[in-house]
Amino acid sequence: MSETLTADKYGMQEALKALGLKEINEGTSTGSNNFGGGEIISSYSPTDGALIGKVTTTTKEDYEKVMDAATTAFKSFRAMPAPQRGEIVRQFGNKLRELKEPLGKLVSYEMGKSLQEGYGEVQEMIDICDFAVGLSRQLNGQTIPSERPGHVMREQWHSIGVVGIISAFNFPVAVWAWNTALAWICGDVCVWKGSEKAPMCSVACQNIIADILKENNLPEGISCIINGDYKVGEYMTTDERIPLVSATGSTRMGRIVGATVAQRFGKSLLELGGNNAIIITPTADLKVVVPGAVFGAVGTCGQRCTSTRRLIIHESVYDKVKDAIVGAYGQLTIGNPLDEKNHIGPLIDQDAVNTYLAAIEKAKAEGGNVLVDGGVLQGEGYESGCYVKPAIIEAENSYEIVQSETFAPILYLMKYSGDVENAIDTQNGVAQGLSSAIMTNEMKEAEKFLSFAGSDCGIANVNIGTSGAEIGGAFGGEKETGGGRESGSDAWKVYMRRQTNTVNYSDELPLAQGIKFDL
């Protein structure tokens, strides 16, 4: 590793070594199937500004080698019985259990989220592997009654092919696993472009699965990585050999990916921006409201797609809730995310810091009232320049800045009056539709929130916050969030192609709908 790596107070050198990253140096290959021969990407930790390592970007020639490996591997992998593919995923999940500590540390150090969140992200990988292993014996079709005598109709599912995965920096390993674990048990192979802001994480994951594939005498093309910015991602979005592209990121990115893939009649799984709100009603329990709202707003330094951006509070309890939230912010500690006493780590880079500062100024210019000042932290421990203070601003839902997603710890407070329907209208009154929550002890309010006329988001929670989700449920949202679903429930179906079969086991050929065609 680079000599500029920070003093090894938190065991990072040992963690990197355990993940097979000790040999990364400029100009070298980094992980199985990374044929990068392009420019160098240097990964600097937002935690302390130190250089973690370097990878080479993927050229078009490199990409063609990756695709040759992937398409060749698919021909044999799809023929493997699904439970045997599940066994590979089981081994991967067990290896993640062994490496949870070093991989969690790398996620924390390279991305900047707290160590507990880093461990939690790896646990999500383990959980989706467990889910996928069970699912590998349940990729069921169905039998459909036929209107014709002596006929049977069946529906079955087949592997779709090469799945392209584009993931974002904020969950540099979990989102890949959500897609990959399901794709693998479905018989697909994967080409992954991780975020160029956290490339060491994707290399580490590739090292782990490459070892497992080798131990099982399986082709390495089952799992491939490519490195680079959006230009490398375009290799996949325009490639007709990739029938499905799963992309996680901004709404702006999703518009481009969705249109490009649709133009060649491919499929997209889009998980894009969120502008998530918690409705707080008069009967809400503050013991539930405060931790749910605060963690939702400041966890991962506000860099989750499910982060809480807006609190919509009934006027009768507004001052009480406001005082409680502001008081809780005064207890937050900001610093090195590898130190578990800190609640909040840094933003990912200087661009994110600039976006954060601009959003606060925009909110002020539109009439927002600052309750908790933001700003960039300086001094010892904050040398990277990426540490910022979580801000709270009273605002109106109609503000332009409130209508957009800012990937930073800025929380907007607003009042509602009258019935809960008014709060639901405010919550739904943004372009995004990912996660939502209501805090109430009134059953009627909760059920209205969950009804067809309630929250228009893909996730709607009662008495828990907006941030985070369990593996068993399908994850994703509506409107400008993209409409895609990842992880649990029947999300596996997007990684397969549906086929309807009709079998005639009679001695006649009756036509559908009673049509007569005599010769």
Side-chain angles (χ1 to χ4, degrees), residues 311-331:
L311 294 187
I312 304 167
I313 309 167
H314 192 272
E315 59 183 0
S316 66
V317 293
Y318 182 83
D319 288 338
K320 180 171 67 173
V321 172
K322 177 181 69 174
D323 291 345
I325 297 293
V326 170
Y329 268 51
Q331 302 174 46

Side-chain angles (χ1 to χ4, degrees), residues 249-257 272:
S250 68
T251 296
R252 180 193 61 79
M253 178 274 290
R255 291 187 195 280
I256 297 170
V257 170
L272 309 173

Side-chain angles (χ1 to χ4, degrees), residues 253-271:
M253 178 274 290
R255 291 187 195 280
I256 297 170
V257 170
T260 302
V261 175
Q263 191 170 27
R264 59 176 177 82
F265 297 104
K267 295 199 300 181
S268 297
L269 192 168
L270 300 176
E271 201 283 287

Side-chain angles (χ1 to χ4, degrees), residues 85-393:
R85 299 193 295 258
E87 167 60 17
I88 302 304
V89 175
R90 186 191 69 81
Q91 293 178 31
F92 181 55
N94 285 345
K95 195 66 175 177
L96 289 171
R97 285 178 168 88
E98 295 176 20
L99 296 171
K100 180 177 177 178
E101 182 175 353
L103 185 55
K105 282 184 177 180
L106 176 60
V107 169
S108 177
Y109 188 61
E110 187 171 35
M111 186 269 149
K113 63 176 60 175
S114 73
L115 185 58
Q116 288 303 310
E117 290 183 81
Y119 291 152
E121 182 166 348
V122 181
Q123 186 61 50
E124 286 191 34
M125 301 175 75
I126 295 168
D127 292 344
I128 194 63
C129 286
D130 289 349
F131 180 89
V133 171
L135 187 61
S136 68
R137 296 180 182 271
Q138 301 177 63
L139 301 176
N140 303 322
Q142 59 181 330
T143 301
I144 305 168
S146 173
E147 66 186 41
R148 290 170 284 185
H151 285 59
V152 62
M153 294 177 65
R154 300 190 183 103
E155 183 179 82
Q156 61 181 346
W157 298 84
H158 295 292
S159 309
I160 198 172
V162 181
V163 174
I165 302 169
I166 300 172
S167 64
F169 73 86
N170 60 330
F171 280 85
V173 297
V175 171
W176 167 72
W178 290 358
N179 286 273
T180 291
L182 297 187
W184 284 338
I185 61 104
C186 290
D188 303 326
V189 300
C190 300
V191 177
W192 175 28
K193 192 198 88 65
S195 172
E196 64 272 26
K197 296 183 179 184
M200 297 296 107
C201 285
S202 58
V203 174
C205 291
Q206 179 66 7
N207 287 346
I208 296 169
I209 187 60
D211 286 344
I212 291 170
L213 295 176
K214 185 176 181 179
E215 290 168 3
N216 287 272
N217 297 313
L218 291 172
E220 61 180 7
I222 291 169
S223 180
C224 306
I225 61 172
I226 55 178
N227 296 318
D229 59 13
Y230 72 94
K231 295 177 183 177
V232 174
E234 287 175 352
Y235 296 156
M236 290 197 294
T237 58
T238 58
D239 192 340
E240 294 185 356
R241 295 168 294 183
I242 299 181
L244 170 67
V245 175
S246 175
T248 302
S250 68
T251 296
R252 180 193 61 79
M253 178 274 290
R255 291 187 195 280
I256 297 170
V257 170
T260 302
V261 175
Q263 191 170 27
R264 59 176 177 82
F265 297 104
K267 295 199 300 181
S268 297
L269 192 168
L270 300 176
E271 201 283 287
L272 309 173
N275 196 346
N276 316 295
I278 300 176
I279 296 171
I280 302 172
T281 73
T283 65
D285 186 344
L286 278 183
K287 295 193 302 293
V288 176
V289 169
V290 173
V294 174
F295 175 74
V298 307
T300 323
C301 202
Q303 296 172 110
R304 292 185 175 214
C305 52
T306 56
S307 290
T308 305
R309 311 290 179 198
R310 299 173 293 147
L311 294 187
I312 304 167
I313 309 167
H314 192 272
E315 59 183 0
S316 66
V317 293
Y318 182 83
D319 288 338
K320 180 171 67 173
V321 172
K322 177 181 69 174
D323 291 345
I325 297 293
V326 170
Y329 268 51
Q331 302 174 46
L332 296 172
T333 56
I334 307 169
N336 190 317
L338 292 169
D339 187 337
E340 294 187 55
K341 75 173 185 292
N342 292 322
H343 299 105
I344 308 168
L347 290 172
I348 186 65
D349 57 22
Q350 284 298 318
D351 287 342
V353 172
N354 294 338
T355 298
Y356 154 86
L357 293 172
I360 291 175
E361 292 306 311
K362 174 72 171 175
K364 291 178 181 178
E366 292 191 71
N369 176 41
V370 177
L371 298 176
V372 176
D373 283 325
V376 180
L377 293 169
Q378 298 176 337
E380 185 177 356
Y382 304 128
E383 290 85 356
S384 70
C386 296
Y387 291 89
V388 301
K389 295 183 286 186
I392 301 177
I393 302 174

Side-chain angles (χ1 to χ4, degrees), residues 37 44 264 266 308 323 330 381 391 427 448 453 467 471 481 486 514:
Y44 293 92
R264 59 176 177 82
T308 305
D323 291 345
Q427 183 230 274
K448 285 180 180 179
S467 187
I471 286 300
T481 303
E486 298 171 314

Side-chain angles (χ1 to χ4, degrees), residues 427-438:
Q427 183 230 274
N428 293 345
V430 293
Q432 308 83 0
L434 180 53
S435 187
S436 58
I438 187 170

Side-chain angles (χ1 to χ4, degrees), residues 385-458:
C386 296
Y387 291 89
V388 301
K389 295 183 286 186
I392 301 177
I393 302 174
E394 291 180 305
E396 298 293 333
N397 203 56
S398 59
Y399 289 0
E400 184 178 2
I401 192 61
V402 175
Q403 288 286 312
S404 61
E405 178 189 42
T406 302
F407 234 47
I410 303 173
L411 180 63
Y412 300 110
L413 269 57
M414 55 198 70
K415 294 180 184 178
Y416 80 94
S417 58
D419 295 333
V420 73
E421 287 91 340
N422 296 330
I424 293 171
D425 286 344
T426 299
Q427 183 230 274
N428 293 345
V430 293
Q432 308 83 0
L434 180 53
S435 187
S436 58
I438 187 170
M439 299 291 186
T440 180
N441 284 325
E442 172 61 56
M443 183 188 71
K444 290 181 180 179
E445 290 181 330
E447 290 299 331
K448 285 180 180 179
F449 179 73
L450 299 176
S451 74
F452 66 89
S455 170
D456 64 3
C457 296

